[in-house]
Amino acid sequence: MISLKDRLTELLIKNKLLDPKDLEKALEVQKEKGGRLSEILVQLKLVNENDLAIVLSQSLGLPPLDLSRVKIDPEVIKIIPRDIAVYYQIIPVSKIGNSLTLAMADPLNIFAIDDVKALTGFEINPIIGRPQEISQAIEAYYGEDSHRMMEKIIKDITSEEEKLEFIDGGGVEESFNVEELARLTQEAPVIKFTEAILKQAIDAKASDILIEPMEKRLRIRFRIDGVLREIESPPKALQAPMVSRIKVISGLDIAEHRLPQDGRFKTKADDREVDFRVSILPSTFGEKVALRILDKKMAMLDVNKLGFNNKALGDLKSCSKRPHGMILVTGPTGTGKTTTLYSILKYVDAPEINIITVEDPVEYDLPGINQVTAKVDIGLTFAATLRSMLRQDPDVIMVGEIRDFETVDIAIKAALTGHLVLSTIHTTTAPGTIVRLVNMGVEPFLIASSVICIVSQRLLRQICDKCKTSYEISEEMAKRLGASIPNKTTTFYRGKGCKFCFNSGYKGRVGIAETLVLTPKIKDLIFQRAEEHKIKEQAIKEGMITLRQDGIEKAIAGITSLEEVLRTTIADKI
């Protein structure tokens, strides 16, 4: 009797959608790493996801379903737990009598059908769903479940507010009973709420959590795709116990309320570890907490996946392969500079290369790379660590950030003595970095001799694929944008807002960049201490694509919106 797996491959080969040699390749990957054959075929790009769904539908007699056009009853979602839905890549669609309709990425998975039947007691009616749509539906619907769970926790906490009445949130921190506060941090309501906040932020793919005490309420906001969004506020009385709970799991002093504190902790989410960096700052109405979420699963440490245009990517790759010199990545906070540095490190990493980094703090652990955390309080500054690193015979050095003359001086000397040095610096444009270095006290001839490339980058929100719509801009607007728009294109795109993007119209982010390679003519301008606009003008003449131009190209391609480009970049005034 032919197996279901053999039946699938036979159908694909018969329909000329899969080559037998490609099948052998996929089977080898499955044997080595495990997993479902259908997923492996799509991941290796041997079979198109849509073609796979069509073949399965026609051959197995199972109807396909466009999940983006279906609204599922929350009561139906509750039938199957989130972990089961994620594990089998399934989602319940409807229930009629004793029959449960189940959208499945792999309808040939009889183990999934049997397990769900045993778990729910329903007869299973499988239909075909595209894997990407199922993943998005799980995120959208079970995210709402997480929200309802938090509402329940808030309700439970509110009923116990009398236990917390001694905390008035009025900023009178000295009146706190430390022993009572420590006890409350171990009680179920506080633990549950703190964990629920962290889980909701991870599920929403937030990069930061801000817990902000105000005069009469406690505000909690998530930064999602670079934009802050407020969630439902918990009772004001929960403020101090919640902050203290975060201090406890971060290893900080819960009795200290007058000084800033920094820490970090790890938690598990869906069988993976997520790191949190914690910063606590005393404010007028209590302690403000900022948590940076470092989800390793979300990190795209691959230069080819940064979203950079071909010119910027080519410049970055060629400069990264040079034996010595300095590459600087610049941009405001939260624009992905560290991710770019890590991606370069992975790109140049090889067994014969000795790579050392100094960071504050180390954000992601990179196998095979020596990483040092700077500790200013004990004298382990960037500059002091750099001096010691140079005695370790490194080929590539990464400095988390250039903040002062001492650090940049040592970094430049390292670049001049045969090391490839990578670092970040806070400026708004690539040409503006030259002016910034001169203002820090670096001589122009040292900049021209050591720096080989400067990358300025931003992160733009991507338009949600589920609610993307096109629109026309006026000719007047096209003229105002000028040369940035090739052929005076007037058709652009935006998101209307839907449940998959929290009604924002955006889902995910993409990078844009401008790269300034120090050519002989650029170096001549540096020797002359030329102004920023003159360096920029020469760089554009030599082919540099500016941030605005890169953003406009992505807007024309429908990746991001024109509004997002104009919000994030400045006009090219030449």
Side-chain angles (χ1 to χ4, degrees), residues 302-351:
D302 183 343
V303 289
N304 296 308
K305 295 181 180 179
L306 294 172
F308 292 176
N309 60 75
N310 292 334
K311 171 70 168 59
L313 185 60
D315 289 342
L316 189 59
K317 283 183 174 181
S318 62
C319 291
S320 298
K321 289 298 184 180
R322 294 195 191 180
H324 55 81
M326 179 183 288
I327 298 175
L328 294 173
V329 183
T330 182
T333 301
T335 52
K337 298 188 296 295
T338 304
T339 299
T340 299
L341 289 183
Y342 280 155
S343 300
I344 296 172
L345 290 180
K346 283 196 71 176
Y347 179 69
V348 301
D349 187 25

Side-chain angles (χ1 to χ4, degrees), residues 116-152:
V116 173
K117 183 177 180 180
L119 176 70
T120 63
F122 290 106
E123 291 296 324
I124 304 304
N125 176 33
I127 57 175
I128 298 169
R130 292 177 179 82
Q132 185 180 4
E133 291 180 357
I134 288 178
S135 296
Q136 290 171 337
I138 289 171
E139 181 183 328
Y141 287 103
Y142 286 93
E144 292 176 358
D145 251 10
S146 172
H147 177 72
R148 286 194 293 272
M149 179 182 71
M150 189 171 293
E151 285 181 338
K152 182 179 182 301

Side-chain angles (χ1 to χ4, degrees), residues 7 11 25 47 69-70 95-96 117 124 144 194 205 208 222 340 374 409 421 506-507 519 522 554 568:
R7 188 177 175 190
L11 293 170
K25 181 181 177 182
V47 176
R69 299 180 180 274
V70 176
K95 178 178 74 71
I96 301 175
K117 183 177 180 180
I124 304 304
E144 292 176 358
T194 306
K205 296 181 173 60
D208 299 88
F222 295 164
T340 299
D409 183 52
V421 180
Y506 297 97
K507 187 75 173 177
T519 61
I522 297 292
K554 286 182 170 60
T568 313

Side-chain angles (χ1 to χ4, degrees), residues 32 109 123 173 197 202 344 354 383 411 513:
E32 180 184 344
N109 189 343
E123 291 296 324
E173 303 289 355
I197 287 287
I202 294 169
I344 296 172
N354 180 18

